[in-house]
Amino acid sequence: MNVQPSARSPVGARQSMKTLLPWAVIASLVAVLFAWSPGYISHLLVMLGIYLLLAYSLNLVMGYGGLIVFCHGLFYGIGAYAYALARVRLVATDPQAAVLWWAQGWSFLPASLFAVVTGAVVAALVAWVCLRFRGEQFIFATLGFQMIFFVVLYNCVDLSRGPSGIYGIPRPSLFGWSVTKPWQYSLLVGVVVVGVLLFLFRLYRSPFGLVLQTMREDERAARAMGVNTNEIALRAFAVAGGIAALAGSLYAGYVTYIDPSSFSLEESIFVVILLMLGGSGNIRGPFIGTVIMLALPEVLRFVGLPDAVAANVRRMIYGAALVAFIYWRPGGLAGTKTRHSQP
């Protein structure tokens, strides 16, 4: 009989210490850096929280469902634009007031809820179309939706202002508390991220998550057991799209300006890469990949490379790391270590 050590036993206490030690080191490091430069660290924490939402939501579809998706930037952008369109209110003297009929001036919570619902609905519609295909056709279908979305944003000036983007997006205000400073926004994002991740972790381990994993391992076997795989995948898409849209609303409220360039195909590929580097289909992988992908540009910045050179070097490092991990660690840093044999 296999007896698990209790938390009060010496073995259980050592295991608990090993689990908590990395998080304690990370929290201490963040506290020291925050004391050194509060504004800079707050900005990094905000962006870390936004990309954690994107990575963990994609992990539901790609890691647990086994569906490779290249349109996650679409749901991210839908959330940002839906939030911006709901929040902006134009004055009568604005020359664009007659054109931008969508200006509503909603408060933060209704606008965020509108963004989440819009992202979930759009994700369900995309899934309904793409799930009619299999294999490489499915991947190219998601890629096509991402490209269509970017073209629509870029050319539909009456709705999105095209390449000029939407400016003047109000900062959030909750129960009389105006979130104006970076540390306040990092606190808001942190609360949202913790709540969403707790929901996702329970979803990963729920019967729904187990069915997704069964589909990933053998879709035919899942269908033989009576599982409607298309319906399960559509639900996973809707949940992932809603969370990605929530990340987009937080991004729009933080930068107060959005344009199509922030939600292009490159953004979708970036989210896929950070998930592959960290490892998909588990809890640790998205966090590890997100931290690495966001920390690398900051490291190159401290090295002193010019911005133009640093951008190219960053892409080269991303590509080399991706090739290396596919060869030595196909499961990512949080996965198992394997090496492909030579043919």
Side-chain angles (χ1 to χ4, degrees):
M1 182 173 63
N2 186 16
V3 179
Q4 296 293 335
S6 64
R8 295 183 179 180
S9 66
V11 176
R14 286 195 295 270
Q15 290 180 350
S16 300
M17 288 295 296
K18 289 181 180 179
T19 303
L20 295 176
L21 183 59
W23 297 106
V25 172
I26 293 174
S28 302
L29 180 61
V30 171
V32 171
L33 293 175
F34 187 84
W36 169 62
S37 180
Y40 174 69
I41 298 302
S42 296
H43 169 73
L44 291 183
L45 290 177
V46 169
M47 299 309 299
L48 175 64
I50 290 173
Y51 277 100
L52 283 177
L53 292 178
L54 291 173
Y56 277 101
S57 59
L58 181 61
N59 192 36
L60 179 66
V61 177
M62 182 173 165
Y64 284 83
L67 299 172
I68 301 177
V69 178
F70 280 99
C71 62
H72 215 55
L74 185 160
F75 312 136
Y76 181 42
I78 284 289
Y81 271 88
Y83 176 85
L85 301 184
R87 287 281 281 160
V88 172
R89 179 184 292 278
L90 301 178
V91 297
T93 56
D94 194 317
Q96 297 289 335
V99 178
L100 300 178
W101 48 268
W102 38 258
Q104 300 294 327
W106 290 357
S107 59
F108 171 70
L109 288 179
S112 299
L113 180 61
F114 174 67
V116 171
V117 172
T118 304
V121 171
V122 171
L125 292 175
V126 170
W128 181 74
V129 176
C130 294
L131 288 172
R132 299 172 182 270
F133 306 97
R134 288 294 183 269
E136 294 83 0
Q137 293 179 339
F138 173 85
I139 299 174
F140 281 110
T142 63
L143 184 67
F145 271 104
Q146 174 64 58
M147 298 173 68
I148 292 172
F149 173 71
F150 180 79
V151 172
V152 169
L153 283 184
Y154 201 84
N155 292 279
C156 192
V157 179
D158 290 347
L159 182 64
S160 64
R161 278 184 173 160
S164 300
I166 300 175
Y167 56 85
I169 304 171
R171 285 291 178 89
S173 179
L174 287 171
F175 310 109
W177 179 48
S178 298
V179 183
T180 56
K181 298 180 180 179
W183 70 267
Q184 294 174 331
Y185 210 92
S186 64
L187 180 62
L188 172 64
V189 172
V191 171
V192 173
V193 169
V194 170
V196 171
L197 293 190
L198 289 177
F199 164 74
L200 280 176
F201 293 165
R202 288 185 62 87
L203 192 63
Y204 291 162
R205 296 186 174 96
S206 68
F208 178 79
L210 295 178
V211 171
L212 276 176
Q213 294 180 60
T214 304
M215 290 170 48
R216 178 191 64 193
E217 299 300 330
D218 194 335
E219 185 175 355
R220 291 183 178 179
R223 289 183 176 180
M225 291 187 293
V227 176
N228 189 338
T229 56
N230 282 351
E231 181 180 350
I232 295 297
L234 191 147
R235 292 179 183 178
F237 257 88
V239 174
I243 296 174
L246 178 61
S249 67
L250 292 174
Y251 174 79
Y254 178 62
V255 300
T256 70
Y257 168 80
I258 56 174
D259 62 16
S261 63
S262 300
F263 315 107
S264 62
L265 176 61
E266 184 176 355
E267 193 70 15
S268 292
I269 295 175
F270 180 80
V271 180
V272 172
I273 290 176
L274 65 86
L275 186 60
M276 291 180 64
L277 289 180
S280 61
N282 56 71
I283 293 178
R284 295 176 300 168
F287 180 83
I288 295 173
T290 302
V291 170
I292 292 176
M293 294 292 280
L294 294 185
L296 181 58
E298 306 306 319
V299 173
L300 294 178
R301 182 179 302 175
F302 282 108
V303 170
L305 294 176
D307 292 340
V309 176
N312 295 327
V313 171
R314 183 170 66 248
R315 290 187 176 93
M316 292 172 61
I317 294 176
Y318 286 163
L322 185 60
V323 172
F325 277 104
I326 289 176
Y327 186 76
W328 280 290
R329 274 190 180 269
L333 281 172
T336 58
K337 182 179 179 181
T338 59
R339 180 169 179 171
H340 295 288
S341 59
Q342 295 293 335

